Amino acid sequence: MNRTAQRSSLSDTVYAVDLAKNVFEVHTFGPHGMCRKVERLSRKKFIAKFTDPHTERGVVVMEACGSSHHWGRQLGERGYRTQLVPPQFVAQRRVGNKNDGNDADAIYAVYRDPRIRPVPVKTLVQQDLAALHRTRELLIAQRTQCINQIRGLLAERGVVERAGTGGFQALMKRINQEDLPEVTAALQHQVAVIHAHVGEIDAHLKTLECAMDSAYQDSVVAQQVHTIFGVGLITATACAAEYGGGVDRFHDSREFAANIGTTPREHSSGEKRHRGAITKRGNSYLRKLLVQCAQIIVNYRNRHEDPLCQLARRLLEAGKRRSGVVVAIANRLARTIYAVIKHGDAYRMDKQPACGCAA
């Protein structure tokens, strides 16, 4: 069933809800798109309205923002059809100034557009897995900040080392073992405090990796994606967190790759066709992971005979830039992930998609 048919088959009553922490704007629309009722409800009254058995069951449309997946699950359990719409399109459809009422009307306008693909409501398992990745990214960023702070403090005293983990370890070894005239006892104390915090972060990261491995063992989707050449556990679990509910909302693998942002940006008119750099739309974290996987495949292209390695060799031998080849491999990886999830089967080299890749 296409998206137009899905919308026309739903109940005539549509509730467009602009979510917030304490105040909810609810606009009720009838079968012909006319707003029948405008309500501004507190959190308590919002819950009471949609748990009331006398409230007509229909479609509740919300912007895919903070707490939207929670409300999607809660309202779905109470007999409502819930639908989340992409927030970037809501901003484009807003008429007038930004306020809750105009936002609710824009949410309804996006819902009525059959061209816009809704965002599926995530399960608790998917959100738990996504939380692991977000926490890991936060800790890695904090660890990098601490290391850079130590390097900066010591550079002011003329103590520098090469980049990378080895350089940082050598730097810490120097200030602990050598007698450096400008590294005072006060500075050593501050560096020790920050370095201890780095050790705590490393311990938390190891705990997160164990939790991620446990989640991987419980996820069929992650295990299937992990069979793809070049895809590691982190990327596989990230795919499970985002697409664990399936990829049926995408018509084909190109739509899936476009959703991640690995397809070219097009600016065409009439007979003039122009394609530029990739769009970078969608999930930037997942796209970053795919690019990292692609870089590994390009680095080890001469050691394996996987179709992805063969593609990397052909593109480089044809004179393509390395950065363009990496993006092309990331695009092919995205399409392969789509095929694996769609068919529910492990990756097989003889079943590579025949579609082309855009550099």
Side-chain angles (χ1 to χ4, degrees):
M1 183 182 293
N2 58 36
R3 291 193 286 272
T4 304
Q6 286 177 343
R7 282 168 169 79
S8 62
S9 64
L10 295 175
S11 170
D12 290 338
T13 302
V14 178
Y15 302 97
V17 180
D18 182 52
L19 297 173
K21 184 178 180 180
N22 296 316
V23 180
F24 298 76
E25 186 84 15
V26 181
H27 289 193
T28 305
F29 291 86
H32 302 294
M34 297 299 294
C35 186
R36 299 190 312 205
K37 192 174 183 180
V38 174
E39 298 173 279
R40 188 172 178 84
L41 306 174
S42 66
R43 189 180 187 91
K44 184 177 180 180
K45 291 182 178 179
F46 177 79
I47 296 173
K49 174 182 175 64
F50 286 99
T51 54
D52 187 351
H54 297 97
T55 301
E56 183 181 358
R57 265 41 182 177
V59 188
V60 181
V61 187
M62 298 168 286
E63 189 177 15
C65 58
S67 76
S68 60
H69 294 280
H70 162 73
W71 290 116
R73 291 190 297 268
Q74 293 295 315
L75 295 172
E77 293 173 357
R78 289 165 172 78
Y80 296 92
R81 296 283 297 275
T82 58
Q83 191 167 112
L84 308 182
V85 296
Q88 65 268 29
F89 296 112
V90 174
Q92 296 172 7
R93 300 302 177 88
R94 186 189 307 119
V95 178
N97 295 323
K98 169 126 179 29
N99 56 57
D100 293 345
N102 288 341
D103 283 346
D105 290 337
I107 289 170
Y108 179 74
V110 173
Y111 161 75
R112 296 299 301 173
D113 192 334
R115 299 171 299 173
I116 297 177
R117 186 183 300 108
V119 178
V121 177
K122 287 184 172 63
T123 64
L124 285 174
V125 174
Q126 286 179 275
Q127 287 197 299
D128 286 346
L129 192 50
L132 284 175
H133 283 269
R134 298 296 175 267
T135 306
R136 178 177 177 274
E137 284 293 289
L138 173 64
L139 291 178
I140 289 175
Q142 290 179 344
R143 184 179 187 275
T144 303
Q145 290 173 350
C146 291
I147 291 175
N148 289 341
Q149 182 68 73
I150 292 175
R151 285 182 177 273
L153 291 173
L154 294 176
E156 291 292 332
R157 309 298 175 95
V159 183
V160 295
E161 278 291 345
R162 65 185 185 277
T165 303
F168 178 70
Q169 293 174 348
L171 186 67
M172 297 306 300
K173 184 177 180 180
R174 281 184 61 187
I175 65 171
N176 289 328
Q177 296 182 357
E178 298 181 14
D179 185 15
L180 303 172
E182 292 197 7
V183 179
T184 62
L187 178 62
Q188 284 185 328
H189 175 71
Q190 300 305 321
V191 170
V193 169
I194 302 174
H195 189 247
H197 186 50
V198 172
E200 294 174 358
I201 293 175
D202 287 337
H204 290 315
L205 284 171
K206 290 181 180 179
T207 303
L208 282 177
E209 289 173 0
C210 293
M212 200 171 292
D213 183 69
S214 177
Y216 165 80
Q217 300 296 334
D218 296 334
S219 173
V220 177
V221 172
Q223 293 175 22
Q224 291 169 346
V225 173
H226 194 212
T227 60
I228 301 174
F229 178 78
V231 176
L233 183 143
I234 293 175
T235 305
T237 52
C239 290
E242 185 68 20
Y243 303 108
V247 292
D248 294 337
R249 66 186 187 276
F250 301 105
H251 181 262
D252 53 24
S253 60
R254 180 172 177 80
E255 277 194 7
F256 179 82
N259 180 258
I260 300 177
T262 59
T263 53
R265 184 184 302 275
E266 186 172 0
H267 189 80
S268 304
S269 178
E271 297 180 355
K272 295 182 179 179
R273 313 291 292 180
H274 175 73
R275 292 183 177 180
I278 59 174
T279 61
K280 295 185 179 181
R281 298 184 181 128
N283 191 326
S284 59
Y285 175 67
L286 186 55
R287 183 172 60 253
K288 179 188 75 172
L289 293 178
L290 290 180
V291 170
Q292 291 175 351
C293 293
Q295 288 173 336
I296 294 174
I297 292 172
V298 172
N299 289 341
Y300 293 92
R301 64 189 180 278
N302 294 322
R303 302 186 185 182
H304 303 275
E305 291 303 319
D306 185 89
L308 293 171
C309 294
Q310 296 174 10
L311 174 62
R313 291 199 295 267
R314 288 198 305 269
L315 292 175
L316 289 172
E317 290 169 0
K320 301 294 184 181
R321 291 182 303 171
R322 180 185 175 87
S323 59
V325 174
V326 169
V327 173
I329 299 300
N331 185 48
R332 177 62 69 87
L333 270 176
R335 297 186 179 206
T336 306
I337 289 171
Y338 169 85
V340 167
I341 297 176
K342 181 177 178 62
H343 298 292
D345 197 3
Y347 170 72
R348 290 179 291 173
M349 289 194 298
D350 59 331
K351 295 295 182 181
Q352 272 283 292
C355 56
C357 288

